[in-house]
Amino acid sequence: LEACWSESVMRGALEAREILDVPRERRLWRQIIESDERGFSLLGSAPAAQRCQQARAALKLWQVPLSDPAIAQEFSFSEDSAAFYRWLARFDAHCMDAGLICPEDALAQLLEAQSPLSAARAVLIDAEDLPPLHATLLAQTAELQRLDTGFEGEQTRPVAAFADSRSELQAVSRWCLQRVQESGEGRYAVVMQDMHQARELLEMFLRKDFNCLTARYESLPVNFATGLTLDRVPLVRDALRILALGGAVLVLDDFVKSLHSRFVPPPALGSADLNDGLNALLELGCPRIPLRIVQQLLPARGESQALMPWEQMAQLARRGRWQQRARAPSQWIEPFRGLLGAWGWPMGTSLDSLEHQQFEHWQQALDALASYDVVCGDIPWSEAVALLREHCAQSLFQPR
């Protein structure tokens, strides 16, 4: 449907506007919520932004006439809904001024244009509760077919009970191995209630049972249909940790973990010198330490006289004036790459196939910062890092 909207725009039937993706849409909601001068009390703006984005999408898909005075009055009956309606007006005004459009609004515009849907064919599989907007659009297609995959008759299935989720996942892994051992042909599926939470532990059991550790790591005959959020994959996790060190004050735990990252080359520094300096930092007993203190306690150069990462980081900060000036999200991309280069990330180890894919996704996420210029104003370093982390947390990594 979105492709049909784009086609209508290219034909000149609709005004050209940029479609907002979900991460940028939620970021805009957060900014509106946090700038609300009425001081609406929230436990967190991020969950509120997610709910607002989902609520607006539902209202548009079910074609609720928000401009109707009777509908508008219903939003005034509670403080929560009144706040949402207030934020909604600001959200729509910002999108109009910036030339942005949400996917649901783009589809609604198709109803007003001479739609290219008339030549399309659509098949709906087990579509029970189709939003009215989708149903109206699909009704304009040349052919609309509905398929129901439900099968007749009752079938009994055995049920197994387990003491905890860990023992259940162990049994799942053994079941998979048993199926493969019994018959190497065919495919077998495991449906999890919450794959995001269970995946890492289940994968560990599967690798152990199928003997796919170390040298045979890539031989696991399993495909996970659910990916990991990009911020949780090791390569990206360590990159975000390094970028968080770019401010005037460092989190000591992040600093030490970055030194031990396998994606960062070991410092060309005598182990005794490094240990003495790190022990001195730890003895301060402070979780957050100014960069200048780190420079004082750790040598600036290693045995090869090359500058250490913390010294390169300080020089880059002075030249780039990171702490003194906010800038547009797109203008933070090169400083981010410069800081990662100072640490030698990701050259600490040769990347395998999986990590090369993670690196590609990371580059795409970094480039995506430029698309936030139409949503955010100038932001400082710490907020830019938080924005990139938030974007990665909403982006799925699914290995090929």
Side-chain angles (χ1 to χ4, degrees):
L1 293 175
E2 284 187 24
C4 292
W5 177 85
S6 298
E7 183 181 334
S8 296
V9 169
M10 288 188 288
R11 289 191 292 106
L14 292 173
E15 178 187 0
R17 298 173 71 181
E18 182 181 355
I19 290 187
L20 269 178
D21 54 19
V22 171
R24 287 190 298 161
E25 188 176 347
R26 290 184 181 173
R27 177 69 186 190
L28 180 54
W29 275 111
R30 280 189 65 178
Q31 291 180 187
I32 292 171
I33 293 169
E34 292 170 357
S35 63
D36 188 1
E37 70 279 0
R38 302 195 189 182
F40 190 77
S41 178
L42 291 167
L43 292 177
S45 59
Q50 180 178 351
R51 288 195 171 193
C52 286
Q53 181 264 325
Q54 293 170 343
R56 185 187 185 281
L59 289 166
K60 294 292 182 177
L61 288 174
W62 260 260
Q63 298 179 303
V64 177
L66 295 173
S67 58
D68 186 328
I71 297 294
Q73 185 179 17
E74 290 191 40
F75 283 92
S76 65
F77 293 156
S78 74
E79 186 180 7
D80 287 356
S81 57
F84 168 72
Y85 198 72
R86 184 169 67 249
W87 299 335
L88 178 63
R90 295 178 185 173
F91 179 90
D92 289 341
H94 183 96
C95 289
M96 182 62 66
D97 293 342
L100 303 172
I101 190 169
C102 296
E104 301 79 27
D105 299 281
L107 300 188
Q109 284 188 346
L110 272 178
L111 297 176
E112 307 167 6
Q114 185 177 357
S115 172
L117 285 167
S118 56
R121 176 175 179 265
V123 180
L124 297 178
I125 302 175
D126 295 335
E128 298 177 358
D129 192 15
L130 204 62
L133 178 57
H134 289 161
T136 304
L137 286 168
L138 292 174
Q140 299 178 8
T141 58
E143 181 182 351
L144 179 61
Q145 182 181 1
R146 289 178 177 269
L147 294 180
D148 182 6
T149 60
F151 51 85
E152 298 179 358
E154 295 184 2
Q155 295 186 1
T156 58
R157 291 286 184 267
V159 175
F162 302 93
D164 51 41
S165 59
R166 184 181 181 89
S167 57
E168 180 185 20
L169 293 176
Q170 282 181 310
V172 168
S173 177
R174 291 175 188 140
W175 179 88
C176 293
L177 179 63
Q178 183 180 357
R179 297 283 82 74
V180 172
Q181 289 175 340
E182 290 175 352
S183 172
E185 300 178 356
R187 294 185 178 185
Y188 306 92
V190 175
V191 182
M192 307 297 297
Q193 184 175 9
D194 188 353
M195 180 59 82
H196 286 289
Q197 295 295 325
R199 171 170 172 160
E200 292 182 15
L201 187 57
L202 176 59
E203 184 173 354
M204 182 191 75
F205 289 139
L206 286 167
R207 290 194 179 281
K208 183 178 179 181
D209 288 339
F210 280 87
N211 191 26
C212 290
L213 298 168
T214 59
R216 300 187 67 248
Y217 191 83
E218 296 188 22
S219 302
L220 184 67
V222 175
N223 174 62
F224 289 94
T226 304
L228 292 172
T229 55
L230 190 57
D231 63 321
R232 292 174 59 191
V233 302
L235 187 83
V236 175
R237 177 202 61 204
D238 289 1
L240 291 170
R241 186 176 287 152
I242 291 171
L243 292 182
L245 302 174
V249 178
L250 281 61
V251 176
L252 185 57
D253 184 56
D254 285 344
F255 181 74
V256 174
K257 286 180 178 177
S258 296
L259 286 174
H260 288 87
S261 169
R262 71 185 191 89
F263 302 107
V264 171
L269 188 68
S271 58
D273 294 334
L274 181 59
N275 288 335
D276 289 344
L278 289 176
N279 286 333
L281 288 175
L282 293 171
E283 287 172 2
L284 295 176
C286 299
R288 300 170 63 85
I289 298 177
L291 177 59
R292 56 182 175 80
I293 301 298
V294 174
Q295 291 179 271
Q296 292 172 10
L297 295 179
L298 294 181
R301 295 181 181 273
E303 295 173 338
S304 62
Q305 296 304 305
L307 285 176
M308 292 293 96
W310 45 90
E311 189 62 31
Q312 292 188 55
M313 188 166 61
Q315 291 188 8
L316 286 171
R318 284 194 295 269
R319 289 199 300 268
R321 300 182 180 276
W322 296 341
Q323 287 81 40
Q324 286 78 17
R325 184 168 73 87
R327 59 187 80 184
S330 60
Q331 296 178 1
W332 284 116
I333 296 175
E334 288 310 312
F336 283 174
R337 288 186 170 133
L339 181 58
L340 292 171
W343 279 80
W345 179 96
M347 306 307 294
T349 182
S350 57
L351 303 182
D352 59 25
S353 173
L354 184 66
E355 290 161 348
H356 271 293
Q357 295 178 50
Q358 294 174 7
F359 184 72
E360 290 176 11
H361 280 70
W362 164 257
Q363 296 284 48
Q364 294 169 9
L366 206 54
D367 291 338
L369 274 184
S371 66
Y372 283 88
D373 286 359
V374 295
V375 174
C376 306
D378 291 349
I379 54 178
W381 174 278
S382 59
E383 192 172 338
V385 175
L387 176 63
L388 180 58
R389 187 186 301 275
E390 182 181 313
H391 179 85
C392 291
Q394 297 182 62
S395 303
L396 279 181
F397 170 71
Q398 176 63 285
R400 291 191 290 272

